[in-house]
Amino acid sequence: MENLIEKSAEQIKDRIEFWFFKYFNKTKSDFNGNEIFTLFELLNAELQTDIKQRLNLDQNEIPVLVLKISESEFIINTTKRFVRIDSESTEIIDYSEFEWHNGYKSFVVDKEKKISTKQDGHFSEFGLRKLNGEIIYWKIPTGVPGFGFWNVTKKCELIGRKFKLTE
């Protein structure tokens, strides 16, 4: 068994943000919180408060990234887990259970109209594979936001595999 590296929630938050900025090749000042895939701390205060109430965060868990699915549905990357919330339910995948992304369920959304998951403005089922082999499908945006989510958050398996959150 590998030795886990102890990291604080702030250190893990910084690592996730580093991956986010590196993928987009931008800095924090290039974002304003209105993007579909953005930093949680840039959301307006009211939305942050609403989401935090629904997240039921652990004591030293920090929400870092948010992927906006709709006005009431979000996928939040915290320092410990993926959380999909909507007006009726919450689904959680801890990073310690996360193995990898399976990608979009159907790469071509509509062959006749030539719409693919590489184009912005659509939604497609996206698979997150757990260590036990189970694949959880969540509908996420296509195009830049979806591929950003895919590429940034695939690294979250490192958090579950290599890091131990310290108090």
Side-chain angles (χ1 to χ4, degrees), residues 104-122:
Y104 288 101
K105 199 174 202 178
S106 171
F107 199 75
V108 176
V109 178
D110 187 334
K111 288 181 183 180
E112 288 181 19
K113 294 181 182 176
K114 302 214 186 291
I115 298 172
S116 79
T117 54
K118 291 188 176 188
Q119 295 173 312
D120 289 341
H122 304 282

Side-chain angles (χ1 to χ4, degrees), residues 6-115:
E6 291 193 1
K7 297 268 185 184
S8 70
E10 258 323 301
Q11 288 173 312
I12 293 173
K13 175 183 179 278
D14 291 346
R15 175 61 33 194
I16 293 170
E17 287 180 348
F18 170 79
W19 294 329
F20 179 82
F21 295 135
K22 185 174 179 180
Y23 175 77
F24 286 107
N25 195 27
K26 295 182 177 183
T27 64
K28 188 174 187 174
S29 63
D30 294 317
F31 295 89
N32 62 24
N34 292 321
E35 299 83 10
I36 294 172
F37 185 43
T38 194
L39 298 169
F40 183 85
E41 68 186 47
L42 295 179
L43 297 176
N44 71 58
E46 184 180 317
L47 184 55
Q48 282 186 41
T49 300
D50 178 51
I51 290 174
K52 279 183 182 178
Q53 288 173 345
R54 295 162 56 195
L55 283 176
N56 195 25
L57 296 168
D58 289 343
Q59 183 178 349
N60 63 339
E61 183 177 12
I62 303 169
V64 184
L65 304 175
V66 60
L67 180 65
K68 300 172 190 174
I69 310 301
S70 71
E71 292 296 316
S72 62
E73 185 179 356
F74 306 92
I75 298 173
I76 312 300
N77 283 89
T78 73
T79 50
K80 293 178 76 172
R81 56 198 170 152
F82 296 99
V83 183
R84 191 197 66 76
I85 58 174
D86 62 27
S87 56
E88 296 155 10
S89 65
T90 301
E91 291 180 87
I92 297 168
I93 301 174
D94 287 334
Y95 297 148
S96 62
E97 300 174 324
F98 175 62
E99 184 175 25
W100 203 249
H101 293 309
N102 263 37
Y104 288 101
K105 199 174 202 178
S106 171
F107 199 75
V108 176
V109 178
D110 187 334
K111 288 181 183 180
E112 288 181 19
K113 294 181 182 176
K114 302 214 186 291
I115 298 172

